[in-house]
């Protein structure tokens, strides 16, 4: 018929296909409604310039091939990270193009009356849909800080043990989410509760687009449940705040003057061990011009705790400057909402019914246990779409 057969085509492909589809009587209408990309530009969606990305890859290759390029590993790390990101973008575009071309071939066969092509056309359409969803996420994660690692601060609101237990439940939720993403997690600071739960925790989550994915978790989280700490079995409402900060690391240079810092050392609290609670190893650093305070007590030595605290301080100063530049993100340190009624971004209801609801996007899930076990994908994606829609 003069038509190029798609890769993997056989005349009885529809017989060997384990996922057969029913051939509806008006399938021709579906085919006619399919988009025609034959005259489309080589630029994906009008927003991806393949030649410029390939040119950038060539520039990076020239940089890392210099004889002295590997002498300074720290300076080279951001370049290698960019190389990996651009390579992923180019590979994703090529995969999309290949998948679309294959689907167009199956579509041509279907248009010419070969109904046997429909099952393979359906499979190819599903594959393209999945690739488009992944590409959509990469487009949504295009801000300057989205590719960075994330620092996660969790603090309970008023309510004592009940709120501290809720804060620990949130910590567990993010740890499980990070584990499912195969992200690395470091606990930089941890202060246990008096009876149960935690008074505060700072996590460093390292992985591709960690900050971009988690940024929508920033805010007040509310829990409604029958309290396990109330002998009367009454229903309680608990609050905890989550702060998500981009870990700038060595990607940017932040000038911090020693004269602007007040450094205090003290003995670490909580479960201890050799040296941890017996020496003044914990470090608290106050940045006097901004009033930002960070602390770290999890390491055994004062030197290590100071390094970790300075890393958190750089990240907070970076986010502070970003907040000032961004009209949609007011400076968080000028004044935060109270950790109480009316300010929550999401509610987790365990009693009298079971539902997790995001009050910004309207996203809901009745599988509360799955969400608390780290299955946050739909909430994270819906927030990115919400942000994209409100910042255009």
């Amino acid at each position: 018929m003069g038509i190029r057969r798609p890769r993997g085509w056989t005349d009885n492909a529809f017989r060997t296909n384990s996922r057969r589809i029913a051939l509806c009587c008006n399938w021709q209408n579906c085919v006619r409604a399919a988009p025609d990309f034959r005259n489309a530009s080589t630029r994906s969606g009008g927003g991806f310039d393949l030649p410029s990305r390939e040119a950038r890859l060539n520039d990076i290759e020239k940089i890392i091939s210099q004889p002295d390029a590997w002498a300074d590993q720290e300076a080279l790390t951001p370049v290698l990270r960019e190389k990996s990101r651009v390579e992923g973008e180019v590979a994703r575009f090529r995969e999309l193009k290949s998948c679309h071309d294959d689907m167009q071939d199956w579509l041509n066969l279907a248009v010419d009356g070969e109904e046997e092509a429909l099952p393979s056309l359906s499979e190819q359409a599903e594959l393209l849909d999945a690739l488009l969803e992944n590409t959509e996420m990469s487009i949504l994660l295009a801000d300057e800080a989205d590719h960075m690692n994330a620092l996660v601060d969790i603090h309970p609101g008023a309510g004592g043990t009940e709120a501290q237990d809720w804060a620990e439940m949130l910590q567990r939720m993010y740890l499980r989410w990070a584990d499912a993403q195969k992200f690395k997690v470091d606990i930089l600071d941890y202060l246990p509760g008096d009876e149960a739960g935690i008074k505060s925790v700072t996590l460093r989550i390292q992985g591709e687009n960690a900050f971009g994915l988690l940024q929508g978790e920033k805010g007040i989280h509310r829990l409604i449940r029958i309290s396990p700490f109330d002998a009367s079995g009454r229903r309680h409402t608990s609050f905890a705040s989550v702060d998500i900060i981009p870990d700038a690391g060595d990607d940017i240079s932040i000038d911090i003057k020693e004269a602007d810092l007040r450094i205090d050392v003290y003995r670490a609290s909580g479960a201890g061990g050799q040296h941890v609670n017996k020496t003044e190893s914990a470090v608290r650093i106050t940045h006097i011009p901004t009033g930002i305070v960070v602390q770290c007590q999890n390491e055994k030595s004062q030197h290590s705790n100071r390094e970790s605290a300075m890393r958190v301080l750089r990240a907070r100063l970076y986010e502070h400057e970003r907040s000032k530049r961004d009209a949609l993100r007011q400076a968080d340190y000028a004044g935060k909402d109270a950790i109480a009624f009316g300010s929550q971004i999401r509610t987790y209801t365990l009693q009298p019914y079971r539902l997790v609801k995001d009050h910004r996007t309207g996203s809901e899930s009745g599988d509360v246990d799955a969400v608390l076990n780290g299955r946050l994908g739909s909430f994270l994606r819906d927030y990115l779409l919400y942000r994209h829609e409100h910042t255009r």
Side-chain angles (χ1 to χ4, degrees), residues 126-391:
E126 289 177 6
L127 177 59
L128 181 60
D129 185 62
L131 287 172
L132 286 171
E133 186 170 322
N134 291 335
T135 303
E136 179 186 59
M137 287 296 290
S138 70
I139 293 172
L140 294 174
L141 295 169
D143 281 3
E144 59 176 334
D146 284 349
H147 69 280
M148 296 181 182
N149 298 324
L151 296 176
V152 181
D153 278 346
I154 304 174
H155 296 272
T161 301
E162 183 72 33
Q164 291 170 13
D165 185 59
W166 170 225
E168 187 172 46
M169 291 171 64
L170 287 173
Q171 178 198 7
R172 176 178 175 271
M173 181 177 76
Y174 294 124
L175 288 175
R176 294 211 165 186
W177 174 83
D179 183 64
Q181 307 300 312
K182 301 189 185 311
F183 288 172
K184 180 184 177 184
V185 180
D186 295 319
I187 299 178
L188 300 183
D189 189 49
Y190 181 88
L191 188 60
D194 296 326
E195 299 178 25
I198 57 174
K199 291 183 178 179
S200 69
V201 66
T202 300
L203 309 174
R204 180 172 180 242
I205 300 180
Q206 303 177 64
E208 184 180 1
N209 297 322
F211 171 74
L213 291 169
L214 285 173
Q215 60 188 303
E217 297 300 292
K218 181 176 184 175
I220 310 302
H221 296 245
R222 178 173 69 168
L223 172 70
I224 303 173
R225 65 171 175 176
I226 301 296
S227 173
F229 306 101
D230 188 339
S232 302
R234 291 174 296 185
R235 192 167 70 224
H236 284 245
T237 300
S238 306
F239 297 88
S241 71
V242 176
D243 201 6
I244 310 293
I245 308 161
D247 181 10
D250 300 317
D251 289 359
I252 61 172
S253 176
I254 300 176
D255 183 25
I256 303 176
K257 299 177 182 178
E258 281 289 332
D260 292 338
L261 302 179
R262 185 174 71 245
I263 301 176
D264 302 307
V265 296
Y266 58 96
R267 290 190 179 186
S269 59
Q274 187 176 10
H275 302 305
V276 174
N277 293 344
K278 300 176 183 178
T279 62
E280 292 186 337
S281 59
V283 176
R284 180 187 297 112
I285 301 177
T286 304
H287 187 253
I288 298 171
T290 60
I292 295 173
V293 180
V294 298
Q295 63 184 30
C296 185
Q297 62 175 356
N298 258 39
E299 303 295 335
K300 293 181 179 180
S301 72
Q302 185 183 116
H303 176 73
S304 297
N305 281 325
R306 175 170 173 152
E307 282 188 349
S308 296
M310 285 299 295
R311 186 181 192 96
V312 176
L313 179 61
R314 285 195 297 270
R316 285 194 174 278
L317 289 172
Y318 173 70
E319 174 66 3
H320 185 64
E321 291 303 314
R322 285 183 73 243
S323 300
K324 288 165 60 177
R325 295 197 311 265
D326 195 336
L328 295 176
R329 294 179 186 173
Q330 300 300 322
D332 298 314
Y333 307 99
K336 286 189 175 182
D337 290 336
I339 308 177
F341 284 99
S343 57
Q344 64 274 359
I345 61 164
R346 190 179 300 151
T347 297
Y348 307 72
T349 304
L350 277 63
Q351 292 289 340
Y353 54 89
R354 298 177 68 80
L355 182 71
V356 180
K357 181 179 177 63
D358 192 295
H359 302 290
R360 302 158 301 178
T361 65
S363 302
E364 296 181 350
S365 173
D367 195 347
V368 181
D369 291 335
V371 174
L372 292 176
N373 277 320
R375 200 174 299 170
L376 300 171
S378 61
F379 289 100
L380 302 182
R381 180 177 178 275
D382 287 348
Y383 174 78
L384 290 173
L385 289 169
Y386 167 84
R387 184 192 67 164
H388 181 71
E389 192 67 26
H390 285 75
T391 55

Side-chain angles (χ1 to χ4, degrees), residues 100-120:
H100 171 265
D101 289 345
D102 286 348
M103 191 181 79
Q104 192 68 52
D105 290 339
W106 290 114
L107 187 59
N108 288 338
L109 288 169
V111 167
D112 285 345
E114 296 203 27
E115 296 188 5
E116 299 89 343
L118 288 177
S120 295

Side-chain angles (χ1 to χ4, degrees), residues 2-21:
I3 298 175
R4 180 170 64 89
R5 298 272 176 164
R7 291 191 296 270
W9 165 267
T10 60
D11 287 335
N12 64 343
F14 71 102
R15 296 191 191 97
T16 60
N17 192 319
S18 59
R19 280 187 63 265
R20 301 185 185 185
I21 61 173

